[in-house]
């Protein structure tokens, strides 16, 4: 088993990268992007409903392209890293790209002039952060064996969510301004940032960059590559041969194939919920950035607590029951979200000014955060049970491919359903179908894995 310092270093990686998702993808930058895009499209002559739908479709397009890049680069990257015997240089390179792209998000001013460049920068950084995460996940089998894998995976993910909580609270208290130009403390943004120019909210990108740069240091100080470094040159032919061998191996292993198929569907659906949750709150419920931030804090705290609990349950029961329970919770939440608007719930009209939609959406945030975190950690654990430790990066590259090969599917169907219906709520129906299909495939997954000898 690895030293405690190496295990902590590996877990701290989750702490470093989590704010890119928490602050960027879901709760601060994503909703700000939607608000800026909607305002710009409205100035161009679209009515409010169509402007909202176009903003959501634009964000979906960025996520679609990023997902495809991650999907088809991950197996190649994994094979290359495993064949060379070096993983840390790849994590370092992707980390540098992540920090640069996050810092550059400052360029998105309220006039929307830099809307497309900001979209490209955000998802370029997202691709780099996800690629670094995929390589880091491949280090998990070298940290422990047996039930401890699930506990370490859950604890690392929980630590990451606590990073999301702290960074989100920091931004809400000191930087992100509401329509009145003040933060959650009722004061203007810190350091003299101009609320009229939304500089407090725009500082989210540089804050993500600084957070990542600081907390990645213990990771590189305490974690090293293990295993031999390749003594011969790693050629494209070698990489292609390894990939072909890996794909043939999957075809011979029904449990692995079913797991990859199921994870492909439920992770695609979960990513869509994360990406569109903040947009939904903005466009359907009319929430401010600060309201969405509070929603994020509730979700992140629930994620930190329940992900840690999920890791303990994984160690005791195995990862498959944790995955099953998490998917069922997410199906229930998705049904509730689709059936809710500012004025009605499951088709029943609400009293004018009712706060029930807000209360229920806060509850949804807690359930999404908790179930999503436990699902992510348990999925890593179950993948370890199917992976050859000597080719772990390759296996997790395939895991990333399965999670991203149809990454275009949820954003594309959400964008299409939104465009056809003209309704942001109806656009989320495909998410429910993806979760249901994943549950069906999980029936063929061996709870103990089928790691090749």
């Amino acid at each position: 088993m690895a030293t405690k310092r190496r295990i902590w270093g590996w877990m701290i990686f989750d702490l470093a990268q989590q704010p890119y998702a928490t602050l960027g993808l879901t709760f601060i930058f994503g909703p700000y992007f939607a608000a800026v895009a909607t305002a710009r499209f409205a100035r161009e002559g679209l009515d409010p409903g169509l402007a909202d739908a176009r903003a959501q479709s634009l964000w979906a397009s960025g996520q679609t392209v990023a997902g495809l890049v991650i999907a088809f680069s991950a197996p190649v990257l994994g094979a290359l890293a495993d064949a060379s015997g070096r993983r840390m240089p790849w994590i370092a390179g992707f980390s540098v790209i992540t920090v640069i792209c996050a810092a550059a998000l400052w360029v998105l001013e309220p006039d929307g002039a830099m809307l497309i460049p900001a979209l490209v920068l955000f998802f370029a950084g997202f691709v780099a952060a996800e690629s670094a995460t995929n390589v880091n996940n491949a280090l998990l089998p070298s940290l422990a064996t047996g039930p401890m894998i699930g506990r370490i995976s859950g604890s690392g993910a929980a630590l990451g969510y606590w990073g999301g909580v702290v960074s989100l609270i920091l931004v809400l208290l000191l930087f992100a301004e509401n329509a009145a130009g003040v933060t959650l403390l009722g004061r203007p943004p810190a350091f003299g940032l101009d609320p009229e120019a939304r500089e407090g909210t725009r500082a989210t990108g540089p804050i993500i960059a600084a957070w990542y740069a600081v907390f990645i240091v213990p990771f590189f100080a305490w974690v090293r590559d293990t295993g031999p470094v390749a003594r011969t040159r790693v050629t494209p032919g070698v990489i292609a041969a390894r990939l072909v061998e890996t794909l043939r191996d999957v075809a011979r292993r029904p449990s692995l194939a079913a797991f990859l198929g199921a994870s492909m569907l439920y992770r695609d659906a979960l990513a869509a919920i994360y990406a569109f949750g903040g947009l939904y709150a903005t466009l359907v419920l009319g929430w401010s950035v600060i309201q969405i931030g509070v929603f994020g804090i509730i979700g992140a705290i629930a994620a930190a607590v329940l992900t840690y609990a999920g890791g303990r349950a994984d160690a005791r029961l195995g990862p498959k029951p944790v995955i099953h329970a998490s998917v069922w919770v997410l199906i229930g939440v998705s049904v509730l979200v689709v059936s809710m608007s500012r004025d009605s719930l499951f088709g029943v009209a609400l009293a004018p000014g009712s706060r029930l939609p807000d209360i229920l959406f806060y509850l949804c945030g807690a359930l999404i955060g908790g179930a999503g975190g436990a699902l992510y950690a348990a999925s890593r654990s179950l993948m370890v049970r199917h992976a050859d430790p000597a080719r772990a990066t390759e296996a997790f590259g395939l895991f990333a491919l399965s999670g991203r090969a149809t990454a275009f599917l949820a954003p594309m169907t959400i964008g299409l359903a939104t465009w056809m219906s003209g309704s942001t709520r109806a656009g989320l129906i495909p998410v429910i179908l993806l979760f249901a299909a994943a549950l069906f495939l999980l029936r063929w997954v061996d709870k103990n894995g089928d790691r090749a000898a």
Side-chain angles (χ1 to χ4, degrees), residues 7-17 159 215 218-219 222:
I7 292 172
W8 272 103
W10 183 86
M11 292 193 300
I12 285 173
F13 178 90
D14 280 344
L15 177 69
Q17 62 83 32
L159 184 62
F215 285 103
F219 171 79
W222 297 341

Side-chain angles (χ1 to χ4, degrees), residues 4-280:
K4 287 185 178 181
R5 191 169 70 167
R6 188 167 186 265
I7 292 172
W8 272 103
W10 183 86
M11 292 193 300
I12 285 173
F13 178 90
D14 280 344
L15 177 69
Q17 62 83 32
Q18 182 61 36
Y20 204 105
T22 302
L23 299 181
L25 186 66
T26 307
F27 297 115
I28 303 295
F29 183 80
Y32 172 64
F33 180 93
V36 170
T38 297
R40 174 174 164 175
F41 296 146
R43 289 194 300 270
E44 292 174 356
L46 292 181
D47 65 58
L50 290 177
D52 285 347
R54 186 172 175 187
Q56 179 165 290
S57 295
L58 181 60
W59 189 252
S61 298
Q63 189 183 11
T64 299
V65 173
L68 290 173
V69 172
I70 294 167
F72 294 105
S73 64
V76 176
L77 170 63
L80 182 57
D82 279 343
S84 67
R86 304 187 70 194
R87 294 166 180 151
M88 300 302 289
W90 291 100
I91 297 175
F94 286 126
S95 295
V96 169
I97 295 171
T98 301
V99 169
I100 292 173
C101 290
L105 297 177
W106 173 265
V107 301
L108 184 58
E109 299 185 23
D111 62 9
M114 296 294 287
L115 192 68
I116 301 304
L119 184 72
V120 172
L121 283 167
F122 179 83
F123 282 108
F126 180 73
V127 168
E130 288 288 300
S131 298
T133 299
N134 292 335
V135 179
N136 181 63
N137 284 342
L139 297 172
L140 181 56
S142 69
L143 300 177
T145 59
M148 280 301 297
I149 289 287
R151 185 169 178 177
I152 292 172
S153 179
S155 297
L159 184 62
Y161 284 117
W162 281 119
V165 170
V166 173
S167 62
L168 187 55
I169 291 174
L170 175 70
V171 168
L172 289 174
L173 292 178
L174 301 178
F175 295 97
E177 64 279 284
N178 60 17
V182 296
T183 70
L184 195 59
L185 291 176
R187 300 176 61 84
F191 306 117
L193 295 174
D194 183 5
E196 291 293 326
R198 299 302 301 274
E199 289 184 350
T201 300
R202 288 162 53 202
T204 299
I207 289 169
I208 292 171
W211 182 282
Y212 194 111
V214 169
F215 285 103
I216 203 67
V217 171
F219 171 79
F220 286 111
W222 297 341
V223 180
R224 295 288 185 271
D225 280 315
T226 59
V229 176
R231 297 182 180 276
T232 59
R233 187 181 175 204
V234 180
T235 65
V238 171
I239 300 304
R242 290 178 68 101
L243 289 173
V244 170
E245 181 183 347
T246 297
L247 292 174
R248 286 176 178 170
D249 185 49
V250 173
R252 295 191 294 264
R253 299 166 62 187
S255 177
L256 175 59
F259 172 59
L260 291 175
S263 70
M264 175 177 66
L265 298 175
Y266 68 63
R267 286 192 289 156
D268 191 18
L270 180 60
I273 291 178
Y274 285 154
F276 293 98
L279 272 68
Y280 182 93

Side-chain angles (χ1 to χ4, degrees), residues 295 299 330 332-334 336-337 340 359-370:
F295 170 82
L330 290 167
V333 170
S334 299
L336 177 59
V337 169
M340 180 173 60
I359 295 170
L360 289 177
F361 204 65
Y362 281 125
L363 175 61
C364 287
L367 293 174
I368 290 169

